[in-house]
Amino acid sequence: MLPTKLRSGTPVGCSRCPGFVCPFVALALLALAISSARLTAAATGGKVSKYLYAWAGAADPSLARDSLFVFSVRPNDEDFGKLLHVIETPYNGLEPHHCRPSVDGRWLACSCMLAVFSGLPSILFFSLANPAKPVLLNNVSLPVHSAVADEFVATPDGGFLVTMMGNTSGWAPGRVARYDSDLNLLGEYPRDLRVLESAPGFNPHGIGADFKRETMLTVDYLEPASSLVGNTLTFRNTARLWNLTDMSITRTYVLPKTQHSKGAMDAVAIGDTGGYYFTGGNGYLYYLNATRGKKATPKIVFDVKTRQTVSCILQPFRGGTRLLMAIFSLDRVFLLDTTMPRKPKVLDVYKFPKGAGGHVVRVSKDESLVAVGTYFVDEGAIGQIRYPGDCTVRFLRLDPLGSRFLRGRWPYSRGPVINFTELLPGKGGFRTHGVAFL
Ligand SMILES: *[C@@H]1O[C@H](CO)[C@@H](O)[C@H](O)[C@H]1NC(C)=O
Ligand SMILES: *[C@@H]1O[C@H](CO)[C@@H](O)[C@H](O)[C@H]1NC(C)=O
Ligand SMILES: *[C@@H]1O[C@H](CO)[C@@H](O)[C@H](O)[C@H]1NC(C)=O
Ligand SMILES: *[C@@H]1O[C@H](CO)[C@@H](O)[C@H](O)[C@H]1NC(C)=O
Ligand SMILES: *[C@@H]1O[C@H](CO)[C@@H](O)[C@H](O)[C@H]1NC(C)=O
């Protein structure tokens, strides 16, 4: 571990060091900066992100359609933050949700949370043949047993796994759907629903996968149709471990009532460790060591000490040694050191203005930049979920070791906050939920 002063990037007190030492201090700092940069480059294969996609719903359907926004995020470029293209879909009322590119960068998969209630597609795919100007595809088969797509995992072969939160009318059970690299729908799982008998509320939201060990973890969050006006909101508190080889559920964990889970929202694989983190909407971060087979049980390893953590999205990086946790109701992004997965340590906390929110959080390829979509979900007149946040995408910078947020002067002419309320004059505001770097 580096001394705090070096890590924090504050100038080392040259005024107190004898003149002849200063050049050495400067050289040491330079060497440190170079080796940190190398470390970062090595961790990410030397790649940088050039584009940020933001998947957003039109706030006023009479003025605009639900749309995909493409921004330039090329580092050290004067166009940083520039809006390159807006791709209008033919739809309103999709409730644009998460989005993710395939590993080969050919496709962008976008989920549509409320689409099924208006007979619209639950998933839209875009071709990224020209990454600056994606093209909406109309030739991809959609799941037939399930709807309410939520989160994607990009599979190593260039396809996707996607959680489908509900059946085709938005109740239970949902499924996990799998696509191959040409976007052929391979299936909807589990195939045999008898495995759900012990805990029937299969409404998967978060999803993480370990392709080396062929395991996957999904967590059940909420029965989507229950969120519509007139129904009783039904949250789910189950985590399910899968065998990826045959797409079967091998274990189901029901979180104890004493832990007051308010819907298990997100799940991620912790680098290559074989372990997973997931969140329970109760301020707790859970750890599951899936390599322990039958002995694996979820353990609470971190607590933000408030039981009202409406929405919590996770983003691991630096090979699973770091974790970002964005908590909407706290307007905060936590940065944790997860080198020891059972003992995460808080490295930094970024506070947005009160009421801003903060939901989907993603890291750029070189892991120097974080993007946070602050909007969660506002179902409007049809539903009971009203958490709009301030409808911005906010950029945060990370230091080269991923150990703190940089709060100094913002280096680009376009600011770190993209305000979707006033981004397209005459088009009304947009509610941007999913963000993804390419
Ligand atoms: C769907 O359309 C895209 C873009 O035209 C094309 O690349 C792809 O091969 C098509 N897929 C199928 C299954 O026809
Ligand atoms: C979805 O599930 C609900 C509740 O289990 C059931 O009543 C409904 O018929 C299902 N919808 C379809 C299209 O299967
Ligand atoms: C996963 O399923 C495959 C195929 O059924 C089986 O060969 C393998 O042993 C299973 N793995 C685990 C960890 O159960
Ligand atoms: C996970 O379990 C494996 C096998 O039991 C063990 O070797 C490993 O140390 C565990 N990992 C952590 C982080 O506890
Ligand atoms: C975004 O723009 C709207 C309309 O101009 C304004 O009311 C709001 O304060 C802005 N939000 C932020 C975070 O700047």
Side-chain angles (χ1 to χ4, degrees):
M1 215 24 166
L2 291 163
T4 315
K5 273 205 166 164
L6 292 189
R7 270 193 290 130
S8 72
T10 45
V12 172
C14 268
S15 58
R16 271 183 285 124
C17 70
F20 65 90
V21 177
C22 285
F24 295 103
V25 172
L27 275 179
L29 280 176
L30 183 66
L32 176 76
I34 290 171
S35 66
S36 303
R38 280 214 188 110
L39 267 177
T40 305
T44 61
K47 296 199 183 91
V48 297
S49 292
K50 295 179 189 151
Y51 304 100
L52 181 86
Y53 301 105
W55 177 219
D60 183 344
S62 71
L63 297 176
R65 305 284 196 173
D66 296 341
S67 299
L68 179 69
F69 291 74
V70 189
F71 297 93
S72 171
V73 291
R74 219 183 267 268
N76 309 316
D77 187 294
E78 62 183 36
D79 278 348
F80 184 97
K82 183 178 176 184
L83 177 59
L84 299 176
H85 285 286
V86 182
I87 292 88
E88 275 204 336
T89 72
Y91 310 111
N92 283 111
L94 295 172
E95 188 59 36
H97 215 54
H98 293 203
C99 59
R100 205 176 280 277
S102 58
V103 290
D104 51 17
R106 280 174 81 201
W107 317 116
L108 184 74
C110 297
S111 62
C112 313
M113 203 194 77
L114 298 177
V116 69
F117 301 115
S118 333
L120 301 176
S122 281
I123 316 174
L124 295 181
F125 291 94
F126 292 84
S127 161
L128 298 182
N130 175 359
K133 199 173 179 186
V135 172
L136 180 62
L137 300 177
N138 58 10
N139 60 359
V140 182
S141 300
L142 291 184
V144 294
H145 300 297
S146 56
V148 198
D150 197 282
E151 179 61 293
F152 303 91
V153 162
T155 56
D157 66 347
F160 295 98
L161 290 158
V162 47
T163 48
M164 306 296 293
M165 278 180 79
N167 71 0
T168 51
S169 38
W171 300 95
R175 301 285 196 283
V176 171
R178 190 165 189 166
Y179 284 90
D180 73 8
S181 61
D182 291 318
L183 302 183
N184 297 303
L185 177 65
L186 298 178
E188 294 169 70
Y189 310 93
R191 283 225 155 95
D192 185 348
L193 297 181
R194 280 175 302 179
V195 67
L196 303 175
E197 277 164 14
S198 67
F202 183 57
N203 296 113
H205 183 290
I207 177 168
D210 172 356
F211 295 97
K212 188 164 138 196
R213 297 171 187 83
E214 289 281 305
T215 65
M216 172 168 90
L217 186 77
T218 59
V219 290
D220 299 311
Y221 173 55
L222 162 104
E223 190 164 31
S226 80
S227 73
L228 301 182
V229 160
N231 299 331
T232 305
L233 258 183
T234 308
F235 287 100
R236 304 297 192 193
N237 305 306
T238 26
R240 310 193 193 244
L241 190 60
W242 298 64
N243 179 341
L244 264 183
T245 308
D246 60 5
M247 290 298 289
S248 65
I249 295 176
T250 50
R251 293 187 73 73
T252 295
Y253 307 98
V254 182
L255 298 181
K257 280 214 161 56
T258 50
Q259 291 172 6
H260 306 289
S261 168
K262 289 180 191 68
M265 178 172 275
D266 205 7
V268 292
I270 310 169
D272 212 3
T273 64
Y276 293 91
Y277 283 131
F278 66 94
T279 55
N282 48 4
Y284 295 134
L285 179 70
Y286 293 84
Y287 170 63
L288 182 77
N289 185 348
T291 67
R292 300 191 69 211
K294 287 200 166 100
K295 287 199 209 138
T297 48
K299 294 261 181 317
I300 294 170
V301 291
F302 178 65
D303 180 6
V304 296
K305 302 212 169 74
T306 153
R307 302 291 156 249
Q308 292 294 335
T309 53
V310 173
S311 111
C312 178
I313 291 289
L314 303 173
Q315 169 69 60
F317 65 109
R318 288 192 83 85
T321 62
R322 296 288 186 274
L323 183 75
L324 292 166
M325 236 177 125
I327 303 185
F328 181 92
S329 47
L330 300 180
D331 313 303
R332 265 165 228 207
V333 182
F334 290 76
L335 169 60
L336 306 181
D337 179 345
T338 52
T339 310
M340 295 197 292
R342 278 178 299 152
K343 292 192 165 66
K345 280 187 299 219
V346 178
L347 294 171
D348 203 349
V349 182
Y350 199 96
K351 291 184 198 167
F352 294 138
K354 197 164 165 42
H359 185 61
V360 170
V361 53
R362 298 291 179 247
V363 178
S364 64
K365 284 183 187 167
D366 71 356
E367 305 189 336
S368 66
L369 193 67
V370 174
V372 185
T374 59
Y375 169 83
F376 174 37
V377 171
D378 184 350
E379 292 184 320
I382 67 161
Q384 309 178 56
I385 300 178
R386 304 272 170 83
Y387 296 109
D390 73 355
C391 296
T392 58
V393 168
R394 291 169 181 267
F395 291 112
L396 307 176
R397 291 190 305 140
L398 285 164
D399 78 343
L401 294 175
S403 55
R404 53 187 277 275
F405 298 114
L406 295 174
R407 291 175 173 81
R409 197 185 70 83
W410 180 251
Y412 301 106
S413 59
R414 291 177 185 82
V417 181
I418 304 175
N419 186 350
F420 279 74
T421 303
E422 56 179 22
L423 187 61
L424 295 186
K427 292 275 185 181
F430 287 84
R431 295 152 165 185
T432 178
H433 187 107
V435 291
F437 284 100
L438 182 76

